[in-house]
Amino acid sequence: MRPFCFVRSVLICALAASAFAAPRTTALQVRESIILPRGWVRHGTPSPDHTITLSIGLPQPNFPVLESHLWEVSDPDHPRYGQHLSKEEVEELVAPHPSSLDAVHEWLATHGLGENDIVRSPAKDWVTITIPVSLVEEMLDTKYHVYKHEDSGDYLVRTTSYSLPEHLHEHIEVVQPTTMFGRIRRESSTSIFVDESADTQADVAQGQLTSGGITVDASCNTNITVTCLKEMYNATGYTPLKDGGNSIGITGYLQQYPNFQDLQSFYAQQVPQAVNTTFTVVSVNGGINPQNLSDAGAEANLDVQFAYGITFPTPGTFWTTGGSPPYIPDALTPTNTNEPYLNWLSYVLAQKQLPYAISTSYGDDEQTVPESYAKRVCADLAQLGARGISLMFSSGDYGVGDGNANATTQKCFTNDGKNQTRFIPLFPAACPYVTSVGGTQHYPEVAVSRFYSGGGFSNYFQRPPYQHAHVKGFLDKLPAGLYEGLYNPNGRGIPDVAAQGDYFRIWLSGKSVRIGGTSASSPTFAGFVALLNDARLRAGKRPLGFLNPLIYHKLYKVLNDITVGQNPGCGTPGFNATTGWDPVTGLGTPNFGLMKELLC
């Protein structure tokens, strides 16, 4: 009997042995194997007591039915438009087959794991266990190592291959953390402009700028405020209801926490009517929320201040999610280095009520995320869309590249062992069930140039039907042979839309600073989506839910088309912004007034 079993109840072990005295025995076969991604090196061996929270994804045999519902309730021309599914209806559609539940339960029991050791998702399509790495290695017939990322110095406890009993391959879709080497990162420019005082704006231009019949203050070219965004995007004078049933949410990872005192300073400067108001903080997986000014996160402050500043007095939620790298290999106490994004997703899928618009400013290079894992996470995001929730994700800050070097000298190699040069899309922005947001700057707007709006084509996900005509139109205009072999012309195109992404004036650790990144674009676009939801709820209509079919079928007609700029990377100039959809700024930026007129 293993030492691990001794730490459990003797009764549980005895019951497991009795219930499965004659367990099914089949040969172990490799379930997934990868080549160690570039930039990672083996550093050492984790302690046998290092704990891993293992997430086991069971197949969802009825997912095509869920997807069909998603298309119908999101298509503005369909009779079911807006008739979103309930949590319970979604769970029924993604539930695994009973035979999968039985097979996995039997397998876990043969390793001494009983019901008290197992956490199941409400739909029972995910099984989670927290066990020592030594037991994980036995169950998956593998060996974990500590790996170091050479550029960042981050450490992860991972393996490059794992196996399952042959009969379980049809009952288990994915097991993580195993081969997942993605380093979830915030999509924010590394440059922060610090002003000597809150009132110092020596570089702010004077006068006004006009485009498309909309006039904004000239200062908005170098100093983005809530007022600037409402002027640019035709929402001046619109105030949502406080108790109209609307809501907006922001996700937070990597020890990024918004500071309440900074928010009050921001409100005092930009949204005076919001002073002394706040938002709801929800802890996921032990996420904490320190409130020392020195702990304030630039990313979290940016997201919260602008998303809630645009939508005040709409109720806001911030999720602080724990369980993130880096692993500390020399620490005396073993630490958990699980990828935190799935922790958040598992939590929100279990909630009956959620904000109608949610923004995330984090992502990974698509190729660093195992395809099986990416597709499963994407399928889970579809569940939220079917429930009527709009999901916005930053498209990235590195053009068509991977962010590891200057855009003109990046060497973007594949991680498949062939080391081929290839453009690098971002995940989850590449998931076809979310809305990917690129970046613009100045007025009239152009593609952002202090960093570069992420965009391109997924290598994992095929181009969805809703964007076929628009993306094909762009590809048909490309010069013959341009970037041939560097991108997947049949892949899902990103981004879908764009918004301002640079020179945002926030408060950080008691100082007024400016910051940029598509991490500003995503909460900005989400803010205007929340305003539209408010207008629709006032009109007795339902919230917008999954946006993309609406955007590509109707809403593009009233967006501000961005036709100037490009997104360099991988040693190339990247793609050009042009008339219609492009992989730099998508179909354009919001025009709230026209969008409201069309939708309400």
Side-chain angles (χ1 to χ4, degrees), residues 367-534:
Q367 69 170 1
T368 68
V369 182
E371 186 171 356
S372 61
Y373 177 79
K375 288 187 173 180
R376 181 52 187 267
V377 168
C378 187
D380 285 354
L381 291 168
Q383 296 182 46
L384 293 173
R387 289 174 55 180
I389 297 164
S390 303
L391 298 172
M392 275 63 66
F393 281 82
S394 301
S395 71
D397 294 347
Y398 306 106
V400 294
D402 64 0
N404 289 327
N406 182 277
T408 58
T409 60
Q410 285 172 341
K411 302 300 181 183
C412 304
F413 297 119
T414 58
N415 275 336
D416 57 5
K418 298 178 182 178
N419 286 331
Q420 296 174 324
T421 301
R422 190 90 168 174
F423 291 165
I424 310 295
L426 203 71
F427 179 81
C431 171
Y433 308 125
V434 307
T435 300
S436 175
V437 187
T440 64
Q441 66 182 29
H442 301 324
Y443 198 79
E445 291 180 274
V446 298
V448 70
S449 62
R450 193 168 63 87
F451 54 92
Y452 300 107
S453 179
F457 301 86
S458 173
N459 293 309
Y460 288 173
F461 302 98
Q462 293 297 301
R463 185 164 65 236
Y466 59 74
Q467 69 170 187
H468 178 73
H470 291 273
V471 174
K472 185 177 183 300
F474 172 82
L475 294 173
D476 288 346
K477 292 184 292 186
L478 282 181
L482 181 66
Y483 302 147
E484 185 174 353
L486 295 183
Y487 70 96
N488 174 20
N490 298 312
R492 184 269 204 267
I494 54 175
D496 301 297
V497 292
Q500 286 281 318
D502 206 1
Y503 305 107
F504 276 56
R505 181 170 290 278
I506 69 169
W507 280 77
L508 177 63
S509 299
K511 295 182 179 180
S512 179
V513 306
R514 286 179 293 164
I515 190 172
T518 53
S519 58
S521 307
S522 183
T524 294
F525 195 89
F528 288 96
V529 170
L531 294 185
L532 289 171
N533 280 335
D534 175 82

Side-chain angles (χ1 to χ4, degrees), residues 226-227 230-231 234-240 273 531 538 592 596:
V226 169
T227 298
K230 288 193 171 184
E231 288 179 353
N234 195 17
T236 299
Y238 185 86
T239 302
Q273 63 272 31
L531 294 185
R538 288 193 197 194
F592 173 76
K596 176 175 174 290

Side-chain angles (χ1 to χ4, degrees), residues 198-380:
D199 301 319
T200 299
Q201 299 181 15
D203 61 344
V204 172
Q206 303 297 314
Q208 293 183 320
L209 303 168
T210 302
S211 178
I214 295 177
T215 299
V216 304
D217 193 280
S219 64
C220 297
N221 264 343
T222 55
N223 194 65
I224 291 293
T225 64
V226 169
T227 298
C228 287
L229 294 173
K230 288 193 171 184
E231 288 179 353
M232 288 180 179
Y233 297 145
N234 195 17
T236 299
Y238 185 86
T239 302
L241 297 176
K242 178 181 180 180
D243 301 313
N246 195 21
S247 48
I248 183 171
I250 298 293
T251 65
Y253 305 98
L254 306 183
Q255 293 80 49
Q256 283 280 322
Y257 319 106
N259 182 268
F260 297 144
Q261 184 175 332
D262 279 337
L263 178 65
Q264 295 307 312
S265 297
F266 175 84
Y267 280 162
Q269 187 180 54
Q270 296 195 33
V271 193
Q273 63 272 31
V275 170
N276 295 325
T277 65
T278 188
F279 54 93
T280 300
V281 177
V282 176
S283 172
V284 178
N285 193 42
I288 61 175
N289 183 36
Q291 283 301 311
N292 296 325
L293 271 179
S294 59
D295 290 322
E299 177 64 62
N301 272 10
L302 167 63
D303 290 355
V304 160
Q305 290 171 17
F306 272 88
Y308 302 158
I310 291 168
T311 60
F312 175 79
T314 302
T317 297
F318 180 85
W319 292 280
T320 169
T321 302
S324 61
Y327 168 81
I328 304 174
D330 299 322
L332 295 177
T333 303
T335 55
N336 190 316
T337 60
N338 297 328
E339 189 272 322
Y341 187 71
L342 185 58
N343 289 326
W344 175 81
L345 188 52
S346 298
Y347 175 84
V348 295
L349 284 173
Q351 307 307 305
K352 194 172 183 66
Q353 298 294 329
L354 292 169
Y356 289 134
I358 298 174
S359 174
T360 298
S361 298
Y362 299 79
D364 295 312
D365 294 341
E366 185 184 64
Q367 69 170 1
T368 68
V369 182
E371 186 171 356
S372 61
Y373 177 79
K375 288 187 173 180
R376 181 52 187 267
V377 168
C378 187
D380 285 354

Side-chain angles (χ1 to χ4, degrees), residues 12 46 119 146 150 298 307 313 317 323 470 507 521 543-544 572 585-586:
I12 291 176
V119 177
V146 178
E150 293 178 297
T317 297
H470 291 273
W507 280 77
S521 307
L544 292 170
T572 76
T585 59

Side-chain angles (χ1 to χ4, degrees), residues 126-180:
W126 283 100
V127 172
T128 304
I129 53 176
T130 300
I131 55 179
V133 68
S134 57
L135 182 57
V136 179
E137 292 175 336
E138 178 183 322
M139 294 173 65
L140 302 181
D141 190 29
T142 189
K143 180 64 179 174
Y144 277 73
H145 292 91
V146 178
Y147 292 93
K148 180 180 180 180
H149 190 258
E150 293 178 297
D151 287 344
S152 67
D154 287 348
Y155 295 89
L156 288 176
V157 177
R158 295 293 188 266
T159 182
T160 56
S161 177
Y162 69 92
S163 300
L164 292 169
E166 180 181 1
H167 76 277
L168 284 180
H169 283 229
E170 64 178 306
H171 298 297
I172 293 179
E173 201 167 55
V174 62
V175 181
Q176 290 293 347
T178 50
T179 57
M180 170 70 173

Side-chain angles (χ1 to χ4, degrees), residues 104-127:
V104 172
H105 178 73
E106 176 183 342
W107 173 58
L108 294 176
T110 62
H111 289 280
L113 297 166
E115 281 300 318
N116 290 341
D117 305 302
I118 299 170
V119 177
R120 303 182 193 276
S121 64
K124 299 184 178 180
D125 55 334
W126 283 100
V127 172

